[in-house]
Amino acid sequence: MTARRRALFLDRDGVINIDSHYIFRPEQFEVIDGVFDALRRARTLGYALIVVTNQSGIARGYFSLAEYFTLEAHMRAVFAEEKINFDGIYHCPHHPDGIVAQFAIACRCRKPQPGMILQAACEHDIDLGNSILVGDKDSDILAAGAAGVGQSYLLDPPRFMLKDIILH
């Protein structure tokens, strides 16, 4: 029997990259200072790196699913250049007030619901109780609690960013 893994769950906008509201073009993607080092440290400590991100801009019609995936591919490439690979990236395209019919729904994946975290835990054999979630909104922390994530941190940039978290 193999031991279950622990994960560092990360919101995207405001945790990994500067949140400039509904980004979807690669040139809008700016990694926050210290993130590369923090993720290398987490990997050294044995954490799986998993992104869980609400992307209501899709439901709101601000950008398409294809544009979202273009940005995700860009993000993966930026991090791969730094020798950092994500174990999983999960996104929720839904919002009940959206204008794109197929995504204008209430769902179980949109934080503060725990759906993305639970899906990732199942697919990557994650021990949620020994995992960490880092977010920048209350909905991130509520999702972590609902999923049973052992520790969660609410960032408060510029005073408190991912690089300030001591992973043990």
Side-chain angles (χ1 to χ4, degrees):
M1 180 181 216
T2 61
R4 295 172 67 208
R5 305 167 72 192
R6 58 188 181 168
L8 175 60
F9 292 99
L10 303 151
D11 181 44
R12 191 188 80 182
D13 302 325
V15 174
I16 293 174
N17 60 279
I18 295 171
D19 186 357
S20 55
H21 303 291
Y22 302 109
I23 71 165
F24 64 93
R25 291 189 304 270
E27 62 270 16
Q28 296 172 300
F29 187 80
E30 281 185 76
V31 178
I32 294 172
D33 182 49
V35 167
F36 294 133
D37 290 338
L39 296 187
R40 280 190 204 97
R41 174 84 174 125
R43 187 63 92 188
T44 299
L45 293 170
Y47 285 88
L49 302 176
I50 299 176
V51 176
V52 288
T53 179
N54 285 347
Q55 291 297 316
S56 70
I58 298 167
R60 296 173 193 271
Y62 298 154
F63 53 92
S64 69
L65 196 54
E67 288 170 315
Y68 165 80
F69 282 121
T70 296
L71 181 63
E72 181 182 302
H74 173 74
M75 182 179 87
R76 285 182 185 275
V78 166
F79 279 84
E81 286 177 15
E82 294 289 328
K83 308 286 190 264
I84 299 167
N85 295 305
F86 294 101
D87 295 273
I89 298 177
Y90 296 81
H91 73 282
C92 172
H94 308 116
H95 194 283
D97 298 329
I99 63 167
V100 179
Q102 75 184 95
F103 301 118
I105 61 170
C107 64
R108 292 185 176 164
C109 56
R110 181 173 174 74
K111 295 177 285 181
Q113 298 300 316
M116 287 186 284
I117 298 168
L118 296 174
Q119 180 182 354
C122 181
E123 291 177 2
H124 297 280
D125 196 28
I126 301 299
D127 178 353
L128 289 170
N130 284 313
S131 293
I132 298 170
L133 180 136
V134 180
D136 67 331
K137 294 182 177 57
D138 290 338
S139 59
D140 298 317
I141 304 310
L142 292 169
V149 175
Q151 297 177 57
S152 59
Y153 296 90
L154 181 64
L155 300 187
D156 184 16
R159 294 180 308 173
F160 184 56
M161 297 188 296
L162 183 60
K163 68 180 181 176
D164 300 317
I165 294 174
I166 300 170
L167 301 171
H168 40 57

